[in-house]
Amino acid sequence: MDLILLIDILGTIAFAISGVLMAMNKRLDPFGILIIAFVAAIGGGTLRDILINAPVVWMLNLTYVYVVFGTTILAVVFRKRLTYIKRSLFLFDTIGIAFYTIVGVEKGIAAGFPPLICIALGTINACFGGVIRDILCNEIPIIFRKEIYATACIVGGSAYFILLQTPLQSDFVVVISFVSVMIVRLLAIYFNLSLPSVYSKKEIE
Amino acid sequence: MDLILLIDILGTIAFAISGVLMAMNKRLDPFGILIIAFVAAIGGGTLRDILINAPVVWMLNLTYVYVVFGTTILAVVFRKRLTYIKRSLFLFDTIGIAFYTIVGVEKGIAAGFPPLICIALGTINACFGGVIRDILCNEIPIIFRKEIYATACIVGGSAYFILLQTPLQSDFVVVISFVSVMIVRLLAIYFNLSLPSVYSKKEIE
Amino acid sequence: MDLILLIDILGTIAFAISGVLMAMNKRLDPFGILIIAFVAAIGGGTLRDILINAPVVWMLNLTYVYVVFGTTILAVVFRKRLTYIKRSLFLFDTIGIAFYTIVGVEKGIAAGFPPLICIALGTINACFGGVIRDILCNEIPIIFRKEIYATACIVGGSAYFILLQTPLQSDFVVVISFVSVMIVRLLAIYFNLSLPSVYSKKEIE
């Protein structure tokens, strides 16, 4: 229980910092920085809840609001030190997308949606905070352009449903799916992988 | 019944291809292309369902997901051939907006909204997938800038409610409204019509 | 009752005109101008209603639709005269954000949300029409970049909950909170205040 809360908070922190960095890069004012941090941290969950017609989680549980608030202030004040914890941040982010993928998948199952939609909900939960963050900052969302990020979530979500067909206990299903998101993401970064390009050389020139 | 399903699928295909083309134009990666295709195809219906607080259709009926998936793969592989079927695509798109306009209007009526709101829902259903597609690709939505597109939907939606006042059978009301969207759209393209400009020459310079 | 309706309409007019001006600045066509005016006027309330899972107000009460329609036509026709009423417009806008802040806060309270979320709902109600307007016009939202605008709403929303702890009558609580939004906004414009910058000189260069 406590471990789950810790993971949730670490993910929220990593996502909020990604928002702070993007907002400061665009030279937004303090209110703008705060909003982009919020959107990055809770946008994916908000879209998930609206799509499945459930109450929006951060409106009922203020933990997220406090965490984003505190993270934003600390990130702005210590922004020059953020490079020192770059690795930890990357790890938090990886833990975060793995966690939110599973949460999205399980909320989809609980609401009675078919597996394909649950995988989509997991991916939306993990990735669309970043999409809305980028849109508000007038950028084409980075996950549509490069890096294996959403793909890791899709792999993990698919693993979940494949493992459900096996006699594995549900706890193991969760842990293995969670870890598979992390492994795909970490391998992609380590080997600097992207999705194969669909463009011919001629088209790119 | 089968005719309605066919029209729905043709519209979905046309909208998905519009997304693929836009995404490839922006050099997005395969995941980005897929998401933009989805958003173009199902974004309008999603916004409609959220506004009327109904379950989101593509989350319950996987047909749309399969059609968009298959269309995206085929469109990417055969992208050089897409120019050969440009005319068919344009026709599918025109059939699509006519169909989705009527669907939106009828969902609005079923949910008890006044005619003006039902016409807005029909227009949103037909046009806002394209709006979200353009926003995600960092463009001002094309339907706000040129071409008579949304206007055709508004005309068709208005025709629906005018015809409801006549002794015409409801089937005829649907067919005539449907055809009127298509006619306005086809005439606009054939004669290269736009909405009259509200800007004076001086303002445009 | 009638005063409240008047304030609501003045706010809607001011917001719709902000949309018309932005859309004409981007040289949108008449349909685009109308949609941006609508979004600026009713976008904040729509997001508020979707977040609290309530029916969307403008879909049930056509007053807003008529007001935006009329305002848009008049604003386009008399656009050269708009500079003459710039001051009135600014006042309407200030009245508008004060009003929508209180409306958002009270809807949040009625739906049982905690104070912090109610203040957020008030701010969203007052400010996010402008955010969606800017996004659709491919700009980073102005309230994230400069001016004290959202901050006035946050101050007013906070005042509301602080005053609720006092023995003041609820009518006074509303009026004082309303006025405090206006005062913060008017002072900010009069003294040309912005939020303090979080960037060092070096970062800005």
Side-chain angles (χ1 to χ4, degrees), chain A residues 23-24 26-33 35-36 46 50 53 56 58-60 62 65-66 76 79-80 135-138, chain C residues 50-53 113-114 116-117 121 128 131 135 138 140-141 143-147 150 154 195-196 198-200 203-204:
Chain A
M24 293 193 69
K26 293 277 174 177
R27 295 282 174 268
L28 300 190
D29 74 8
F31 176 76
I33 296 171
I35 294 296
I36 303 295
T46 305
I50 290 174
N53 210 1
V56 177
W58 60 269
M59 297 178 67
L60 298 175
L62 286 177
V65 177
Y66 295 137
V76 169
R79 61 186 175 280
K80 275 166 192 162
I135 294 293
L136 287 177
C137 288
N138 205 11
Chain C
I50 290 174
L51 284 175
I52 66 177
N53 210 1
F113 289 107
L116 215 54
I117 299 301
L121 283 170
F128 269 63
V131 170
I135 294 293
N138 206 10
I140 296 183
I143 66 160
F144 296 165
R145 285 179 289 148
K146 50 182 176 184
E147 293 200 6
I154 295 171
L195 290 180
V198 299
Y199 307 99
S200 64
E203 287 175 309
I204 287 172

